[in-house]
Amino acid sequence: MKIFARIYILGILVTFVAGCATNKSTPLSNGVWRGTLATDASIDIPFNFEIYDSLGIKQMAFLNGKERLNINEVTETADSVYIKTALYESEIQAAKVPGGLQGVWIKHLPNKTVKMVFTAEANKDFRFMKDTGNKAVDVAGRWSVEFHRKNAANTYAVGEFEQKGNKIDGSFLTTTGDYRFLSGVVDKNTLMISAFSGANPVLFTGDLTDSTDIINGKMYSGPSSVSNWSARRDEDAMLPDAYKIAGLKAGNDHINFTFNDLEGKPVSLTDDRFKNKVVVVQFLGSWCPNCMDETAFLAPFYDKYKDKGFEVIGLAYERYKETDKAKAAVMNLKNRFKINYPILLTGYTNAPGQVEESIPALDNFSAFPTTIIIDKSGSVYKIHTGFSGPATGKHYTDYIQAFEKEINGLLAQ
């Protein structure tokens, strides 16, 4: 009955927004807002965003921990608001109501459209609840995490959290990347953390038996995904070496490919541009938040080193095989991060097995992003799976420092 009610309400809201509300409303107010997205399980995933003016134009920023993701495609009418996150091909359509907004979040996928009921309240800077002053269990530190999968092998992660009072910031690190900036609270013995920046809403809840165990964990992702998780405090928790996950098939020490760039011109690793240079091949997708984090690092790094014998090639594995749709998605990424290195449209998608089909020498490719470092002779030097972004703190700074040192070492050879 609850799920049916959600679908019914969603239909009403879509019709209401599309048809344009008739209530007279005031302009969209600046400040921090509290938004929620309703799952099919009748669980609300909360998040925060800020509305502000820039040169007299309304702007929006998703707020998650230390991250602020600015969105400049905000359209306001007398009774409605439309917010587009072009990078993730998603949007919010909402009607103005007293004190806030009501509407729907829409994400466009190649074979379907995902929708979730959206509500928001103005001038609410808390995410889950106001600070009650209740003594909270201490969760700050490092945790060994296990995600329990119904029809697949369990997966493992490392959780790292910072805590001030009952407020929590942190992330989960996995072999394929991190869950980016998570933010929330500990209320007595209940942990609640969430994130949303236009791509995919996620909520983690769990019970703290004490300061050493998290049980009865639930992970809600998007409108319908629900899975279980648990954790135990472990300051020595570690993930497998990211350089030892993917590799090359026996007998290979090179990779080869020829794909078209965004202008339709074929580009190959054997082109003169890349000869006798250190080359990084970035496997990415515009749909991938961890790829966005890596690109935010690689784009200025390339600009710094491009005149020193260093090159980057991005290989885009989009959700669309159609060239025009894939190109449009990649252009959003290119423009957002001011990418000056070539990004090639592979014609393949992110479906399992497609990357290894496109680059036959690869073995055990398992994640976007994956980064291949090629030395001046054209041999594969290292392959790094995943990317630990800014949300992982020291792991991020340690990686980029080691990466720069490694590139400098190869350039000096």
Side-chain angles (χ1 to χ4, degrees):
M1 181 64 70
K2 287 184 178 180
I3 294 175
F4 174 77
R6 289 289 188 193
I7 296 172
Y8 178 69
I9 292 171
L10 182 60
I12 291 176
L13 287 172
V14 172
T15 304
F16 180 60
V17 173
C20 196
T22 58
N23 293 335
K24 187 176 181 179
S25 299
T26 57
L28 194 63
S29 63
N30 290 347
V32 177
W33 290 58
R34 179 180 187 266
T36 62
L37 295 171
T39 70
D40 294 345
S42 298
I43 298 295
D44 288 337
I45 300 178
F47 63 99
N48 296 106
F49 61 93
E50 183 180 2
I51 299 294
Y52 62 99
D53 289 321
S54 177
L55 300 176
I57 300 173
K58 287 294 182 188
Q59 308 276 293
M60 174 191 176
F62 288 108
L63 307 176
N64 293 286
K66 300 174 183 177
E67 180 189 48
R68 179 186 178 91
L69 182 63
N70 296 311
I71 304 297
N72 58 16
E73 293 191 51
V74 179
T75 303
E76 180 183 10
T77 66
D79 48 36
S80 303
V81 177
Y82 304 88
I83 302 166
K84 289 188 177 182
T85 310
L87 193 62
Y88 297 129
E89 298 182 87
S90 69
E91 59 189 301
I92 291 171
Q93 300 179 3
K96 295 178 180 177
V97 297
L101 299 169
Q102 289 183 356
V104 60
W105 171 67
I106 304 169
K107 185 172 178 65
H108 303 284
L109 298 172
N111 57 349
K112 64 179 179 179
T113 299
V114 174
K115 298 179 181 180
M116 298 177 74
V117 173
F118 161 80
T119 61
E121 296 177 278
N123 302 313
K124 302 288 186 182
D125 61 359
F126 63 89
R127 179 161 296 213
F128 288 91
M129 61 187 68
K130 293 181 179 179
D131 191 344
T132 60
N134 293 331
K135 185 177 180 180
V137 176
D138 179 21
V139 300
R142 196 171 177 86
W143 296 74
S144 177
V145 181
E146 184 173 3
F147 292 105
H148 310 282
R149 309 298 185 187
K150 288 183 180 179
N151 300 313
N154 291 350
T155 57
Y156 298 88
V158 174
E160 291 192 341
F161 304 107
E162 297 176 355
Q163 183 169 350
K164 186 175 182 180
N166 74 334
K167 293 183 178 180
I168 306 296
D169 288 321
S171 191
F172 294 109
L173 292 78
T174 76
T175 55
T176 59
D178 63 272
Y179 278 85
R180 307 192 77 248
F181 293 88
L182 298 170
S183 187
V185 297
V186 174
D187 181 48
K188 295 182 180 178
N189 66 337
T190 301
L191 170 72
M192 297 174 284
I193 49 176
S194 67
F196 179 63
S197 57
N200 188 53
V202 63
L203 165 67
F204 296 88
T205 64
D207 296 329
L208 292 145
T209 57
D210 47 35
S211 61
T212 60
D213 287 281
I214 301 174
I215 61 172
N216 302 324
K218 292 286 185 182
M219 173 187 169
Y220 302 89
S221 179
S224 58
S225 177
V226 184
S227 57
N228 300 321
W229 67 283
S230 60
R232 173 174 287 275
R233 186 181 289 279
D234 181 359
E235 297 301 330
D236 297 320
M238 293 183 65
L239 293 171
D241 188 342
Y243 286 105
K244 295 181 178 179
I245 297 174
L248 297 180
K249 292 185 174 71
N252 291 275
D253 59 5
H254 288 63
I255 61 169
N256 296 292
F257 56 79
T258 301
F259 301 117
N260 288 345
D261 64 15
L262 298 177
E263 284 70 49
K265 298 177 181 177
V267 175
S268 172
L269 265 179
T270 58
D271 293 347
D272 289 343
R273 173 175 178 171
F274 308 110
K275 287 182 179 179
N276 301 314
K277 291 185 178 180
V278 176
V279 181
V280 163
V281 179
Q282 178 194 22
F283 291 76
L284 74 147
S286 63
W287 46 268
C288 162
N290 291 126
C291 300
M292 182 181 73
D293 285 340
E294 183 182 55
T295 302
F297 158 65
L298 269 181
F301 187 92
Y302 171 73
D303 291 342
K304 178 180 177 181
Y305 279 89
K306 64 182 179 180
D307 295 328
K308 301 179 181 180
F310 176 72
E311 289 287 347
V312 177
I313 306 174
L315 300 185
Y317 292 80
E318 295 302 304
R319 289 189 168 121
Y320 309 99
K321 285 190 175 181
E322 299 89 343
T323 301
D324 56 340
K325 292 181 179 180
K327 179 179 177 179
V330 172
M331 284 301 297
N332 284 330
L333 185 77
K334 179 181 175 66
N335 294 334
R336 173 102 192 179
F337 295 104
K338 298 179 174 60
I339 302 170
N340 293 316
Y341 54 81
I343 301 180
L344 312 185
L345 301 176
T346 65
Y348 293 83
T349 70
N350 59 320
Q354 292 254 309
V355 174
E356 287 163 321
E357 181 182 341
S358 67
I359 313 286
L362 275 179
D363 187 38
N364 199 36
F365 183 96
S366 60
F368 291 91
T370 286
T371 306
I372 298 181
I373 302 175
I374 298 173
D375 65 22
K376 290 182 179 180
S377 72
S379 297
V380 170
Y381 176 69
K382 281 186 175 181
I383 302 178
H384 186 278
T385 298
F387 185 78
S388 295
T392 67
K394 189 175 184 299
H395 300 283
Y396 171 71
T397 56
D398 285 351
Y399 172 79
I400 62 176
Q401 288 171 6
F403 180 87
E404 186 162 21
K405 183 178 180 181
E406 202 128 50
I407 295 301
N408 276 318
L410 291 173
L411 289 172
Q413 289 181 2

